[in-house]
Amino acid sequence: MIENGAVLPMCYLPPVEYFVELNKHKPNIMIEREEHFPKQTYRNRTNIYSPDGVLVLTVPVAKGSRNHTVIKDVKISYDFKWQRLHWMGLQACYRRSAYFEFYEDAFAPFYESKETFLFDYNEQFLQLLLKLLKIKTDITYTETYEAAYPTLADLRDVISPKKEPVFAQKPYFQVFEENHGFIKNLSIVDLLFNQGPQAMNYL
């Protein structure tokens, strides 16, 4: 049994808080893959900074992938062109940022390939983000669903769009901050595209 680490959910372009916690609890990181898919969470949505404020990007899931489906079995729906929408949204929101072009080629393939399962899609994205942030850690995956982990920081329900992040976040430059000020705990891509290689120091 892993000790002194953390159990985290698998999220789509997770918020800054996710990587703060992951960095704090590494190298012992366990990711939940046996939970039932919870709606309205970062499992399939992310928040970015648009000219109008927070823009929510949601990965649609196939019908039947509801509350009683195990997260690793949830399928992505391609009934409409959400990938094009997300990629256009990222380009529109971050084209003016200092480092968007620096990372663009690494992100583009995720909006062209059609991965079947949400978990696999998010996992590949997570591996890319860890590489870009230069975070080295051992990731293991849950084999069964456990209601509690006495020896781990259980962050499965802590990192949630419905909850205020508990960490004190220092402001960094954001493209549209003159419109709406600094917005806390957006997707890690907001930090990456604005801060580039300095993102790791920030975390």
Side-chain angles (χ1 to χ4, degrees), residues 40 52 54 58 63 74 81 103 105 116 124 127-128 142 157 163 199:
Q40 296 180 330
D52 302 318
V54 176
T58 303
K63 285 186 171 56
V74 171
K81 294 183 176 172
Y103 296 117
D105 290 348
T116 303
Q124 287 168 31
Q127 294 298 340
L128 171 67
T142 57
D157 298 320
K163 295 179 181 174

Side-chain angles (χ1 to χ4, degrees), residues 175-198:
V175 175
F176 300 111
E177 67 183 22
E178 63 209 29
N179 299 17
H180 306 280
F182 178 73
I183 300 180
K184 283 172 68 173
N185 207 33
L186 293 174
S187 168
I188 190 67
V189 300
D190 187 80
L191 179 65
L192 261 180
F193 294 154
N194 285 305
Q195 298 293 306
Q198 293 303 313

Side-chain angles (χ1 to χ4, degrees), residues 36-47:
H36 283 163
F37 174 61
K39 283 188 196 167
Q40 296 180 330
T41 65
Y42 291 126
R43 308 309 191 269
N44 68 321
R45 68 196 266 187
T46 193
N47 296 337

Side-chain angles (χ1 to χ4, degrees), residues 132-158:
L132 297 179
L133 291 163
K134 296 185 168 55
I135 296 176
K136 291 185 169 62
T137 185
D138 297 324
I139 289 179
T140 57
Y141 299 91
T142 57
E143 299 292 339
T144 56
Y145 179 76
E146 305 291 339
Y149 285 91
T151 63
L152 296 175
D154 188 347
L155 303 169
R156 291 173 294 179
D157 298 320
V158 173

Side-chain angles (χ1 to χ4, degrees), residues 11-145:
C11 301
Y12 171 57
L13 297 178
V16 171
E17 177 187 18
Y18 187 96
F19 289 92
V20 167
E21 293 293 344
L22 188 149
N23 200 38
K24 186 164 82 182
H25 293 286
K26 70 181 187 187
N28 299 328
I29 301 297
M30 186 186 283
I31 289 184
E32 176 61 78
R33 70 171 175 195
E34 302 295 333
E35 66 181 354
H36 283 163
F37 174 61
K39 283 188 196 167
Q40 296 180 330
T41 65
Y42 291 126
R43 308 309 191 269
N44 68 321
R45 68 196 266 187
T46 193
N47 296 337
I48 62 173
Y49 203 148
S50 80
D52 302 318
V54 176
L55 175 64
V56 180
L57 301 178
T58 303
V59 178
V61 297
K63 285 186 171 56
S65 293
R66 293 295 181 255
N67 283 2
H68 299 299
T69 308
V70 175
I71 191 81
K72 67 182 180 189
D73 297 329
V74 171
K75 291 185 177 178
I76 296 172
S77 169
Y78 293 96
D79 288 349
F80 75 95
K81 294 183 176 172
W82 65 267
Q83 287 173 295
R84 185 166 179 269
L85 207 66
H86 285 208
W87 187 233
M88 284 170 62
L90 288 168
Q91 287 178 312
C93 293
Y94 295 107
R95 176 62 69 198
R96 282 172 48 201
S97 68
Y99 292 95
F100 180 79
E101 288 183 6
F102 187 69
Y103 296 117
E104 186 176 9
D105 290 348
F107 280 80
F110 285 89
Y111 297 99
E112 291 159 8
S113 65
K114 286 186 163 51
E115 193 64 55
T116 303
F117 294 100
L118 176 69
F119 190 92
D120 296 344
Y121 182 69
N122 288 347
E123 181 186 27
Q124 287 168 31
F125 240 143
L126 178 63
Q127 294 298 340
L128 171 67
L129 291 164
L130 291 173
K131 186 175 154 193
L132 297 179
L133 291 163
K134 296 185 168 55
I135 296 176
K136 291 185 169 62
T137 185
D138 297 324
I139 289 179
T140 57
Y141 299 91
T142 57
E143 299 292 339
T144 56
Y145 179 76

